[in-house]
């Protein structure tokens, strides 16, 4: 048995290179087809992505793992993140390469683990390595970026029960575990049994994990996509909005609609129509510094709450980061407000949920010129977060895709892209209290396990280097 396992490790060479290439082509195909198909089919396809990468590991040479990983990363990320070019110009190439380095790092480290500890044990360690690197890349370092991952592919699908229990990183862990279990087993029957064991355990935990608390109240809400609007015409647009949906008590507008704080005309509109308003603008801080801010205006025309953006976009003039996050004690309940990109970071949104947020409002700016692919990718985040926490989310974007999402992650209403001037309205469901999925503990643990693995892999290399230095120092 052990000899058979060892024979399955074929680094480099014609046979090994061919097998590695086949798995790599599978990985690229899975990602692009999954993002094109979307929905249930796309979610199931994306589950195969970590397994395709793990399948490469026994067949890679050291150079093949690193350089092949970079090429594979570019093939995966550049087409899906083509809008980076519109945002950053030629700098997009550097960003695609940086993302690809993380994939090359996984292949390089995974290859070493498989060769050091043997195929079976090495493969079973790879889900921890995969999740540790993915979480670190997405949440912990300066250029963190989380959009292209397995968990978000489940957004808006019936698999939201897994997101609520396991979270976006936990779903990635399960996908890698299923792929590793398949590859580590001998024979078709054992492979199927191992994968079913992983799937059964995942569903068992999902059934045990507490579900979202029942809705306690609803807020009649409405939003308006106003990318091309002048600030002076916003009150007229708002009046037409409330004429078409008079039941709406809370109006939410996009990030950066205002070039400063709330002008008197908008405060007057709130007094005249007796509505609450959440709108994005800028708040001056120290000196020339300013903060990307969401303002809450009450029906009396007073600004009663402000929340700054926690994670300004890197390399863009997006203001200074907020120094705190607080909940808005609204007439309906405790509401968390986060701005655009903040929603992509679990560590940012977790703080609002831990404070007791019963619902979330997300003013967003997604420019029309960034293209529909960017809008579709960004639109995966809100349903995934709603399913994770079990809270409703109302996300209003400048040109689409605006979404009203219920606490299960189902999209109840949507405004299209491109859709300047499009309206969205409905009822935002408030829950008694949201909760955090299991990956908020699993993923940091995987980071620690990955760090330990890296140290264990590095120590023998360092000793070998010292031995070679000693040999070179001996005379004839």
């Amino acid at each position: 048995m052990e000899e058979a396992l060892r024979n399955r490790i074929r680094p480099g060479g014609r046979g090994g290179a061919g097998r590695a290439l086949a798995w790599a082509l599978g990985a690229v195909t899975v990602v692009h087809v999954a993002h094109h198909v979307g929905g249930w089919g796309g979610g199931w396809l994306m589950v195969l992505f970590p397994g395709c990468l793990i399948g490469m590991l026994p067949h890679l040479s050291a150079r093949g793992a690193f350089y092949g990983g970079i090429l594979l990363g570019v093939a995966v990320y550049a087409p899906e993140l083509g809008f980076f070019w519109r945002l950053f110009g030629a700098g997009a190439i550097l960003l695609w390469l940086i993302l690809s380095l993380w994939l090359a790092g996984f292949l390089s480290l995974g290859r070493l683990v498989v060769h050091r500890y043997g195929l079976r044990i090495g493969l079973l360690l790879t889900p921890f390595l995969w999740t540790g690197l993915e979480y670190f890349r997405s949440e912990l370092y300066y250029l963190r970026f989380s959009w292209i991952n397995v968990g978000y592919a489940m957004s808006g699908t019936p698999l939201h029960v897994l997101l609520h229990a396991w979270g976006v990183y936990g779903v990635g862990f399960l996908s890698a575990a299923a792929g590793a279990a398949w590859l580590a087993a001998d024979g078709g029957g054992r492979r199927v049994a191992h994968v079913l064991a992983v799937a059964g355990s995942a569903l068992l935990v999902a059934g045990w994990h507490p579900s979202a608390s029942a809705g306690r109240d609803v807020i009649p809400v409405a939003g308006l996509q106003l990318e091309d609007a002048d600030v002076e015409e916003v009150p007229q647009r708002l009046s037409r909005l409330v004429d078409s949906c008079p039941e709406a008590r809370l109006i939410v507008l996009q990030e950066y609609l205002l070039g400063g704080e709330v002008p008197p005309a908008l405060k007057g509109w709130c007094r005249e129509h007796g509505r609450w308003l959440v709108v994005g603008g800028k708040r001056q801080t120290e000196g020339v510094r300013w903060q990307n801010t969401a303002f809450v205006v009450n029906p009396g025309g007073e600004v009663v709450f402000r929340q700054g953006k926690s994670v300004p976009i890197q390399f863009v003039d997006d203001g200074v980061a907020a120094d705190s996050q607080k909940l808005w004690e609204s007439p309906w309940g405790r509401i968390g407000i986060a701005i655009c990109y903040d929603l992509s970071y679990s560590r940012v949104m977790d703080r609002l949920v831990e404070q007791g947020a019963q619902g979330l409002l997300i003013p967003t700016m997604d420019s029309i010129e960034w293209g529909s692919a960017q809008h579709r990718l960004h639109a995966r985040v809100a349903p995934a977060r709603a399913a994770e926490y079990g809270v409703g989310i109302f996300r209003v974007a400048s040109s689409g895709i605006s979404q009203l999402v219920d606490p299960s992650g189902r999209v109840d209403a949507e405004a299209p892209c491109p859709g300047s001037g499009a309206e969205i309205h409905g009822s935002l469901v408030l829950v008694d209290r949201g909760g955090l999925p299991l990956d908020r503990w699993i993923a940091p643990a995987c980071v620690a396990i990955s760090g330990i693995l890296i140290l264990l892999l590095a120590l023998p290399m360092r000793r070998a280097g010292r031995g070679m230095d000693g040999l070179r120092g001996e005379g004839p």
Side-chain angles (χ1 to χ4, degrees):
M1 178 70 72
E2 291 300 321
E3 184 66 27
L5 288 173
R6 283 195 293 271
N7 288 338
R8 289 163 61 188
I9 302 179
R10 299 184 181 91
R14 183 171 299 175
R19 290 181 177 86
L21 180 60
W23 283 112
L25 291 174
V28 174
T29 302
V30 160
V31 170
H32 296 318
V33 174
H35 282 82
H36 177 75
V37 171
W40 175 270
W44 277 116
L45 276 174
M46 195 64 182
V47 165
L48 303 176
F49 178 56
C52 289
L53 299 178
I54 294 171
M56 297 173 65
L57 300 180
H59 311 296
L60 290 170
S61 64
R63 289 186 176 182
F66 182 75
Y67 294 110
I70 291 176
L71 291 174
L72 175 60
V74 172
V76 167
Y77 295 123
E80 298 299 332
L81 302 175
F83 60 89
F84 275 14
W85 190 274
R86 296 188 181 98
L87 281 166
F88 306 110
I93 298 173
L94 178 60
L95 294 176
W96 294 330
L97 288 173
I98 290 173
L99 280 170
S100 301
L101 280 172
W102 286 93
L103 199 151
F106 169 73
L107 293 179
S108 298
L109 292 170
R111 173 192 169 276
L112 286 173
V113 168
V114 166
H115 285 262
R116 178 70 56 81
Y117 300 108
L119 186 64
R120 180 167 290 159
I121 294 176
L123 288 176
L124 295 180
L125 287 172
T126 53
F128 299 94
L129 185 62
W130 168 262
T131 305
L133 292 176
E134 184 176 56
Y135 185 74
F136 195 94
R137 170 182 70 83
S138 301
E139 301 280 350
L140 299 180
Y141 90 126
Y142 178 69
L143 294 178
R144 51 199 183 274
F145 184 78
S146 67
W147 286 7
I148 307 291
N149 69 27
V150 178
Y152 286 137
M154 304 296 169
S155 178
T157 74
L159 292 172
H160 61 77
V161 63
L162 289 178
L163 283 173
H164 181 63
W166 291 91
V168 293
Y169 303 109
V171 168
F173 176 84
L174 292 171
S175 301
W182 174 273
L183 292 162
D186 286 324
R190 286 189 179 183
R191 288 179 171 180
V192 172
H194 286 190
V195 172
L196 288 177
V198 173
S201 300
L203 291 173
L204 182 65
V205 172
W208 163 82
H209 192 72
S211 61
S213 58
R216 184 181 64 82
D217 203 353
V218 297
I219 309 175
V221 296
L224 192 58
Q225 298 181 166
L226 291 172
E227 177 158 329
D228 298 329
D230 293 329
V231 176
E232 291 77 11
E233 61 185 60
V234 171
Q236 295 178 352
R237 297 280 196 100
L238 288 174
S239 296
R240 290 198 291 268
L241 175 65
V242 296
D243 286 343
S244 63
C245 45
E247 69 282 357
R249 309 314 302 168
L250 172 64
I251 311 298
V252 180
L253 300 178
Q254 70 214 41
E255 174 191 20
Y256 278 136
L257 179 63
L258 309 177
E261 303 218 10
V262 183
L266 277 181
K267 294 178 179 179
W269 183 90
C270 291
R271 286 193 298 270
E272 179 182 351
H273 291 83
R275 298 298 199 278
W276 289 84
L277 176 68
V278 176
V279 59
K282 295 180 179 180
R283 183 173 68 89
Q284 199 68 31
T285 56
E286 301 174 4
V288 297
R289 291 152 59 93
W290 55 273
Q291 191 172 84
N292 185 346
T293 302
F295 300 92
V296 178
V297 187
N298 70 10
E302 300 172 306
V303 176
V304 295
F305 184 82
R306 300 173 180 83
Q307 178 60 58
K309 191 173 189 176
S310 294
V311 185
I313 297 178
Q314 304 94 329
F315 311 119
V316 173
D317 188 13
D318 200 19
V320 296
D323 54 7
S324 66
Q325 289 176 277
K326 297 180 181 179
L327 299 182
W328 168 38
E329 298 289 344
S330 80
W332 304 276
R334 298 182 302 279
I335 305 297
I337 299 177
I339 300 175
C340 193
Y341 208 32
D342 287 348
L343 189 63
S344 298
Y345 297 118
S346 64
R347 297 173 72 245
V348 172
M349 304 309 298
D350 288 356
R351 291 194 287 265
L352 295 174
V353 174
E354 288 173 326
Q355 291 179 50
Q358 298 171 266
L360 298 169
L361 302 177
I362 316 293
T364 299
M365 190 195 79
D366 276 353
S367 175
I368 290 175
E369 68 179 21
W370 297 346
S372 60
Q374 184 274 340
H375 289 71
R376 288 195 302 270
L377 272 177
H378 203 177
R380 291 174 179 262
V381 180
R385 288 282 176 259
E388 283 185 320
Y389 299 131
V391 301
I393 295 178
F394 189 37
R395 173 179 175 267
V396 178
S398 57
S399 62
I401 300 170
S402 296
Q403 299 159 299
L404 179 60
V405 190
D406 78 2
S408 73
R410 183 186 65 204
V411 178
D412 287 337
E414 188 174 274
C417 167
S420 184
E423 300 177 358
I424 180 172
H425 57 86
S427 296
L428 175 65
V429 178
L430 301 185
V431 299
D432 292 330
R433 190 176 183 88
L436 303 185
L438 296 172
D439 69 351
R440 301 312 194 259
W441 295 272
I442 294 172
C446 287
V447 172
I449 292 170
S450 299
I452 293 170
L453 280 174
I454 291 170
L455 288 175
L456 291 175
L457 292 169
L459 284 175
M461 294 179 184
R462 191 171 181 183
R463 288 173 187 160
R466 286 176 179 171
M468 292 299 294
D469 289 342
L471 289 173
R472 282 192 291 266
E474 293 178 2

